[in-house]
Amino acid sequence: YLSEIYKDLLDRTDSNKKQGIGKITFYDYMKIQIFISEKLFLAFDKDNDGFLSQKELIDGMTKLYFGSFKQTCELIFNLLDFDKD
C-alpha cells in the first residue's frame, strides 16, 4: 500500500523521479500544519538530500503509524531535535 502511495506522489508536479518526493508534494499529501510537515519531512529524509526516496517514505510512515513505542519516541525526538545534534 505504501509503495502505491509513493508511486502516486512521485507522479505529482514538484517530485523528481530520479531523486524522490519533494517537500511541497509531501506537505500537500500530509495535510497537517506546515511546521509539523516540515519537521516530519526532515525526520523522514535520512540522507538530507531534500527528497524522500521510497525507502525513506515507507520507513517513516511505518514508524509513524505502526511503530513500536520506542520507534515512535525516536520519531518524536527527531521532530523536536532542531539542530540534529
Side-chain angles (χ1 to χ4, degrees), residues 20-63:
I21 297 169
K23 287 181 180 184
I24 303 300
T25 301
F26 181 77
Y27 300 163
D28 186 49
Y29 174 73
M30 292 305 288
K31 305 268 190 240
I32 53 180
Q33 292 179 350
I34 193 73
F35 175 76
I36 297 170
S37 292
E38 171 77 14
K39 297 306 292 175
L40 196 57
F41 183 90
L42 293 174
F44 285 8
D45 186 17
K46 296 296 182 188
D47 60 4
N48 297 313
D49 67 351
F51 292 91
L52 295 180
S53 67
Q54 184 173 7
K55 180 173 177 14
E56 289 171 331
L57 179 73
I58 290 173
D59 287 351
M61 295 292 266
T62 301
K63 288 177 185 176

Side-chain angles (χ1 to χ4, degrees), residues 46 59-60 62-79:
K46 296 296 182 188
D59 287 351
T62 301
K63 288 177 185 176
L64 180 63
Y65 292 109
F66 308 109
S68 66
F69 180 74
K70 181 180 178 184
Q71 289 173 320
T72 303
C73 287
E74 288 173 356
L75 183 61
I76 292 169
F77 179 83
N78 289 332
L79 289 174

Side-chain angles (χ1 to χ4, degrees), residues 1-12 21 25 29-30 54 57-58 61:
Y1 175 73
L2 292 174
S3 293
E4 292 300 317
I5 290 173
Y6 179 81
K7 289 176 189 173
D8 178 55
L9 293 176
L10 199 58
D11 289 335
R12 298 190 185 187
I21 297 169
T25 301
Y29 174 73
M30 292 305 288
Q54 184 173 7
L57 179 73
I58 290 173
M61 295 292 266

